[in-house]
Amino acid sequence: MLARNFRTSLMLGVATMGAGAAVAASPALAQDQAAPAPQEAQSGRRESPTVNPGDIIVTARRTEERLQDVPISITVFNQDQLTNRNVVSAADLATSTPSLSANTNFGSQNSSFAIRGFVQDLGTAPSVGVYFADVVAPRGASNGLPSGDGAGPGAYFDLQNVQVLKGPQGTLFGRNTTGGAVLLVPQKPTDLLEGYVQGSIGNYDMRRVQAVINVPLADTFKVRLGVDRMKRDGYLHNTSGVGPKDFNDVDYTSVRLSVVAELTPDLENYTIATYSRSDTHGDAQKLIAADPAYSLGHFADEQLTPGSSNYQGSGFYDFAQDVPDARSLLTVWQVINTTTWHASDTLTFKNIASYGELKDSFNNPIFGTAFETPAIPQIGLSSYRFGFASSRPLPGRDTAAESTFTEEFQIQGRSSDDKLNWQTGAYLESVQPLGLVGSKSPVIQSCADSAALAASQCYDVLGYLAAVTPVFFGGAFDPTQHAGAINTTAGRTSFHNVGLYAQATYKFTDQLKLTGGFRYTWDREDNTSVQTTTITGYPLSFPFFQPIPAAPLFTYCTYPDAPIQDPTAANGCRRDIKQKSQKPTWLIDLDYTPVQDVLIYGKYARGYRAGGIAPNVTSAFAVFGPEKVDAFELGAKTSWRGSVPGNFNIAGFYNKFSNQQLQLGFNANPCQFTDATTGACIAAPVSPTAAPVNAGKSRIWGIEVDASASPFQGMLLQVGYTYLNTKLTSVETFSLEPGSPYVLSGTYMVGDPLALSPKNKVTASATYTLPLSDSIGKISFGATFTHTDKMLANTGNRFYFGCNGTANTYLPNCQAGAVSDPATVAYIQSLTDLKSTDLLNLNVNWDNIAGLPVDAAFFATNVTKEKYYTFYPGLSTGTGFETASVGAPRMYGFSLKYHFGG
């Protein structure tokens, strides 16, 4: 109903766009450092802030302000800076931004951000909200895999700027977040006939075309249309011969249409329609370590051993996988309509409505394994290839499919003497499933193809080997042995969020201001899901060793707490879970301007992140509560002109978390049951997963510095630095019920740092523009260097101890007499922290070549060819091996741009 009402109101709004009288063009919402100051408005509405050329305008407080006047720690990039640094993904943006990290462990399309140690884990709401044109990114609940909530492919073109806001932003912004917000501000249609066409080529067969045209159809009606098409081969080389030849590729199309209709001198309607489609082989992890003495480590070790039939190769970017039709397809569209009415010089009403849909089909190997079983010629058993675990969409369905409707009504005002500025509003977000979604995930299964998997026609080859091996040593065939299974999850998830807020700034004097804000939020999440586990058959019979057609043997409910345990019954294996939370958040800020261009501020904010549901684990951990943070910050912003103009901004912050949402790893229980006859352990045939829990308390403190200076004509130096000190101060103890299919993979300990939180991160850049005449053009050279300290990736690998020569209940993954190599154990334990990185990017630009409207550019990222990992999942304690996400290699390219108008 909400979606239908929105579509109706949107069509009515568009139908009336041509009815307005002529007014002057609205000033731009933001400027880069080289942009001119906005022209004064010619209507009776309140004018935008008066700024000097070179000032940067931001909308961090939902209104236009100079960056240096806003008491918030902000990093801003204009479109030129994004282009020069080749920013096309969340990971690219994080590389250039101190305090910002990207979690890409499930691929670049489903990346999330972390700021100041505030991380979005699998299953939680974002700790950093992503907003495009003041509207939160569409959700994509997928019953166990991350989807949506971020800036996906094609989001980083034709922008005014990107603003990274640090610290809780829950008072004014639509969705409560504890870490901060990333604002993508698109270019708004102007009153000029202008545009550009840009083509780029690069290594890895990169091809990119961007085109934008801005047409003022009338003084009061302006249209802007943009297209971004990019394709690039993947940098991970698949050596298995199964499926695509490369992974971590790029292939997207993004289209954006913007329309501004000035209906009256004081009434404006601004509509943006966006569409993006990304169709790639997906991102995958690479096998990097194995202990042949432990669990599946023997098979993983063969994949790492030169000369073996399934050796993945010696190259850093070589890996192997077993999914024949790997594909990651993400489609997102959204319509945003903003109506602004300047009722008077002191009162403005604004309504922001949006509707979007996200569909995600995730058919991915995830962990990058292509194991092989040994052949046994004596019984006619051939070698079979199998993977550890992968994720495939539910047959005929998507992995995620959600609609997101938002409605926000704002009132902004100021007193006649301009001492009081205030705004208040109401926010609604309704997210509904577009249909049944889920995944079908084979674990240690040999499936001929996707059709066989869809029908559960796979082989449990390892189970057969375990059953038949005793026969060769005088024992009996054991048909109860099963090593793997097919796990199926199907469900629907909905969200409902409501917020009421108000914020005001009172100016005691021209130098001293006090800001206070308050918000109350109600959040609800509902999930219905069905999880089943299917045990498959053996490849050969016994005792005649005849081939058996692949087929399922039996299916049961994965979780014993489902009310109806018969999978064939109506509502069998179904669990209905609800979660509600509501909290107030607030902000108190005092800022003082002792002299012009110097701002000193102090603030205290309460942040809140909603609780949620993790349907992919047992009921004891399926619901987690909200977290809250008390954030304190002191900062100063200074800028100066003269012969060496520049700015220096510094902020110190202290955050105190309680009821913190942290991720726990859940590995298959190696001894879920014991055989009644032999007493041997029977492992649970489930995929490894993770889920958030309310783990305890932590404190975070640090310092951020942003500075720039122009020591002489043509030279611009910029530096950003963050020192971050995170520590868990209190940790809950967790345990699972007897017979659970999972065991916990490592635990947090008091004193641990938070994940993806490097202690030191610095980004330094220099740009020099040659002193040339306009007849030659503008030639500039730029370099950006980013150092990131080591940071915690997981808490599981440090608890890996391998085998010690015994086999018992506590070491069910070890055979009697098996002893792990101490060097291998030490190496796996070291895969807890990601190593520090030093990345260098270069760019050369030649604008207006020979006075013509043509620009040329060259860029190179990771110039020094640094080889590094970006994530370790922490699999070792349950598998005997570890995988990793691989950072991008050196990339370079050349672009040519033709622009007109303006």
Side-chain angles (χ1 to χ4, degrees):
M1 179 64 71
L2 287 171
R4 184 162 59 250
N5 290 342
F6 173 71
R7 291 192 184 101
T8 303
S9 62
L10 180 63
M11 288 188 292
L12 290 174
V14 172
T16 60
M17 283 181 179
V23 296
S26 298
L29 290 176
Q31 300 173 294
D32 61 49
Q33 290 184 328
Q39 297 179 354
E40 294 185 0
Q42 298 176 9
S43 68
R45 71 187 66 176
R46 188 186 177 199
E47 299 176 1
S48 296
T50 301
V51 294
N52 294 310
D55 286 330
I56 302 173
I57 300 300
V58 297
T59 53
R61 297 196 291 186
R62 311 300 293 273
T63 187
E64 298 175 8
E65 299 175 279
R66 289 176 67 244
L67 172 63
Q68 293 299 95
D69 294 337
V70 180
I72 299 174
S73 182
I74 309 174
T75 299
V76 183
F77 298 99
N78 60 43
Q79 184 63 65
D80 288 340
Q81 292 169 319
L82 296 172
T83 301
N84 292 341
R85 301 181 188 202
N86 195 34
V87 174
V88 295
S89 68
D92 297 331
L93 182 64
T95 298
S96 298
T97 310
S99 291
L100 186 68
S101 300
N103 186 345
T104 60
N105 54 317
F106 282 92
S108 57
Q109 295 184 159
N110 295 308
S111 299
S112 61
F113 291 112
I115 292 179
R116 293 180 176 176
F118 297 75
V119 179
Q120 178 185 1
D121 283 320
L122 182 65
T124 67
S127 61
V128 178
V130 177
Y131 296 83
F132 181 85
D134 279 339
V135 173
V136 72
R139 292 190 196 247
S142 62
N143 293 285
L145 292 171
S147 184
D149 291 318
Y156 297 94
F157 87 105
D158 198 36
L159 300 176
Q160 291 186 28
N161 59 43
V162 173
Q163 305 169 32
V164 181
L165 282 54
K166 303 157 191 176
Q169 306 294 325
T171 305
L172 291 178
F173 284 90
R175 193 184 293 165
N176 271 292
T177 54
T178 48
V182 176
L183 312 183
L184 283 75
V185 183
Q187 287 285 1
K188 194 173 182 180
T190 70
D191 57 357
L192 299 174
L193 177 61
E194 59 183 355
Y196 65 87
V197 177
Q198 182 172 352
S200 304
I201 60 173
N203 63 337
Y204 291 91
D205 201 24
M206 187 272 285
R207 300 289 186 271
R208 186 180 186 186
V209 176
Q210 301 173 73
V212 172
I213 184 169
N214 187 96
V215 181
L217 298 178
D219 290 342
T220 59
F221 194 86
K222 303 145 194 174
V223 178
R224 191 178 186 92
L225 176 64
V227 178
D228 183 9
R229 175 77 174 98
M230 182 175 177
K231 191 170 184 178
R232 192 209 71 214
D233 291 344
Y235 57 82
L236 275 188
H237 312 303
N238 176 24
T239 63
S240 69
V242 177
K245 64 181 180 63
D246 56 40
F247 282 72
N248 295 48
D249 57 324
V250 174
D251 188 355
Y252 70 78
T253 300
S254 179
V255 182
R256 186 186 309 153
L257 175 66
S258 306
V259 178
V260 170
E262 295 175 343
L263 306 179
T264 73
D266 296 310
L267 181 63
E268 178 190 87
N269 186 274
Y270 178 25
T271 300
I272 305 175
T274 64
Y275 171 83
S276 68
R277 184 179 190 271
S278 175
D279 189 356
T280 70
H281 303 148
D283 292 14
Q285 296 176 15
K286 171 186 174 177
L287 182 66
I288 61 170
D291 180 358
Y294 189 91
S295 187
L296 295 172
H298 166 75
F299 300 100
D301 186 64
E302 288 185 340
Q303 189 174 319
L304 295 175
T305 302
S308 67
S309 60
N310 62 328
Y311 177 48
Q312 70 179 17
S314 60
F316 184 77
Y317 302 101
D318 292 339
F319 90 116
Q321 64 90 41
D322 75 320
V323 178
D325 53 353
R327 185 187 189 194
S328 183
L329 176 61
L330 176 66
T331 304
V332 184
W333 67 266
Q334 187 176 39
V335 178
I336 302 169
N337 184 265
T338 302
T339 301
T340 305
W341 176 38
H342 298 276
S344 69
D345 288 344
T346 59
L347 187 63
T348 298
F349 296 89
K350 179 180 286 189
N351 189 79
I352 306 171
S354 77
Y355 178 81
E357 293 185 358
L358 179 149
K359 293 185 177 182
D360 189 358
S361 179
F362 188 72
N363 188 16
N364 190 269
I366 303 179
F367 301 114
T369 55
F371 300 155
E372 288 186 356
T373 61
I376 306 179
Q378 299 93 317
I379 62 175
L381 182 68
S382 60
S383 176
Y384 285 83
R385 173 164 285 180
F386 69 97
F388 165 54
S390 59
S391 178
R392 321 285 181 92
L394 198 65
R397 302 284 183 172
D398 293 307
T399 308
E402 298 282 317
S403 68
T404 300
F405 169 78
T406 68
E407 163 64 31
E408 182 173 5
F409 180 71
Q410 300 176 6
I411 306 175
Q412 300 178 6
R414 64 185 178 93
S415 61
S416 58
D417 59 3
D418 209 27
K419 285 186 174 294
L420 178 66
N421 284 268
W422 58 271
Q423 55 183 300
T424 185
Y427 177 79
L428 166 69
E429 180 178 344
S430 177
V431 181
Q432 299 297 326
L434 295 172
L436 189 70
V437 298
S439 61
K440 193 162 189 175
S441 302
V443 181
I444 318 176
Q445 293 286 294
S446 181
C447 307
D449 51 39
S450 293
L453 173 61
S456 298
Q457 295 173 346
C458 302
Y459 285 125
D460 182 7
V461 183
L462 286 193
Y464 183 73
L465 289 174
V468 77
T469 296
V471 175
F472 296 96
F473 299 94
F477 182 80
D478 183 2
T480 66
Q481 292 289 335
H482 294 287
I486 299 172
N487 297 307
T488 302
T489 299
R492 293 179 171 87
T493 304
S494 63
F495 303 87
H496 189 80
N497 312 95
V498 176
L500 299 175
Y501 64 89
Q503 183 163 308
T505 298
Y506 184 76
K507 188 187 302 183
F508 293 103
T509 69
D510 289 339
Q511 296 174 297
L512 184 63
K513 300 176 185 177
L514 176 67
T515 299
F518 182 84
R519 182 188 189 97
Y520 202 91
T521 304
W522 296 264
D523 297 303
R524 189 184 77 224
E525 181 178 354
D526 297 271
N527 174 268
T528 297
S529 61
V530 174
Q531 288 103 355
T532 61
T533 298
T534 299
I535 301 299
T536 58
Y538 295 155
L540 299 179
S541 65
F542 183 84
F544 301 107
F545 303 114
Q546 296 298 309
I548 301 175
L553 290 183
F554 58 90
T555 299
Y556 62 90
C557 298
T558 303
Y559 300 114
D561 50 18
I564 301 176
Q565 286 290 303
D566 181 3
T568 64
N571 296 322
C573 306
R574 171 173 165 171
R575 296 191 301 169
D576 297 302
I577 308 173
K578 302 180 184 295
Q579 205 281 345
K580 293 182 179 181
S581 56
Q582 58 186 60
K583 291 288 182 181
T585 54
W586 56 80
L587 165 74
I588 301 173
D589 172 87
L590 185 67
D591 59 89
Y592 176 61
T593 307
V595 296
Q596 185 177 1
D597 294 327
V598 175
L599 172 70
I600 301 171
Y601 67 90
K603 68 177 181 179
Y604 161 58
R606 164 64 60 85
Y608 150 78
R609 181 163 58 154
I613 297 171
N616 54 310
V617 294
T618 56
S619 291
F621 293 91
V623 176
F624 55 94
E627 69 178 12
K628 67 178 182 178
V629 61
D630 289 305
F632 305 87
E633 183 172 331
L634 291 173
K637 295 187 173 186
T638 65
S639 59
W640 59 91
R641 291 167 173 80
S643 59
V644 185
N647 69 275
F648 181 85
N649 301 336
I650 186 169
F653 55 88
Y654 181 89
N655 300 319
K656 185 178 179 181
F657 258 119
S658 59
N659 215 31
Q660 187 170 3
Q661 298 168 5
L662 295 174
Q663 181 172 281
L664 278 185
F666 291 77
N667 283 340
N669 188 342
C671 197
Q672 184 181 16
F673 307 107
T674 56
D675 186 274
T677 303
T678 65
C681 284
I682 300 175
V686 294
S687 305
T689 187
V693 295
N694 297 108
K697 300 177 181 179
S698 69
R699 64 105 180 103
I700 303 170
W701 68 270
I703 298 172
E704 294 169 341
V705 175
D706 284 292
S708 68
S710 180
F712 53 87
Q713 184 67 34
M715 174 60 79
L716 176 63
L717 303 176
Q718 296 174 297
V719 63
Y721 169 74
T722 297
Y723 173 80
L724 190 60
N725 190 302
T726 67
K727 181 180 178 180
L728 282 169
T729 57
S730 174
V731 181
E732 298 289 336
T733 301
F734 300 100
S735 61
L736 292 167
E737 65 274 13
S740 169
Y742 292 107
V743 292
L744 297 178
S745 172
T747 57
Y748 289 93
M749 297 186 298
V750 172
D752 278 347
L754 300 180
L756 300 179
S757 303
K759 183 161 286 189
N760 294 280
K761 184 176 180 181
V762 60
T763 298
S765 65
T767 303
Y768 178 64
T769 303
L770 297 177
L772 302 173
S773 68
D774 292 343
S775 62
I776 297 176
K778 179 182 176 182
I779 300 178
S780 61
F781 302 86
T784 300
F785 172 79
T786 300
H787 168 81
T788 305
D789 272 2
K790 72 173 185 178
M791 53 185 166
L792 180 70
N794 65 75
T795 60
N797 286 339
R798 62 184 174 182
F799 295 103
Y800 182 77
F801 301 107
C803 298
N804 61 11
T806 62
N808 53 48
T809 301
Y810 300 102
L811 291 172
N813 282 312
C814 296
Q815 297 295 321
V819 178
S820 298
D821 176 31
T824 299
V825 172
Y827 176 60
I828 292 176
Q829 289 176 346
S830 74
L831 301 177
T832 296
D833 293 321
L834 294 169
K835 294 182 179 179
S836 62
T837 59
D838 294 294
L839 301 177
L840 176 65
N841 299 344
L842 301 176
N843 62 275
V844 181
N845 297 79
W846 189 359
D847 296 341
N848 297 317
I849 300 173
L852 300 173
V854 177
D855 303 336
F858 171 81
F859 70 86
T861 59
N862 192 6
V863 173
T864 59
K865 297 184 178 180
E866 178 146 347
K867 296 175 180 178
Y868 62 101
Y869 299 120
T870 61
F871 183 72
Y872 306 132
L875 302 174
S876 62
T877 55
T879 65
F881 65 83
E882 180 60 309
T883 61
S885 299
V886 181
R890 181 174 67 184
M891 302 238 177
Y892 56 85
F894 173 82
S895 68
L896 199 62
K897 178 179 180 180
Y898 171 76
H899 48 90
F900 61 90

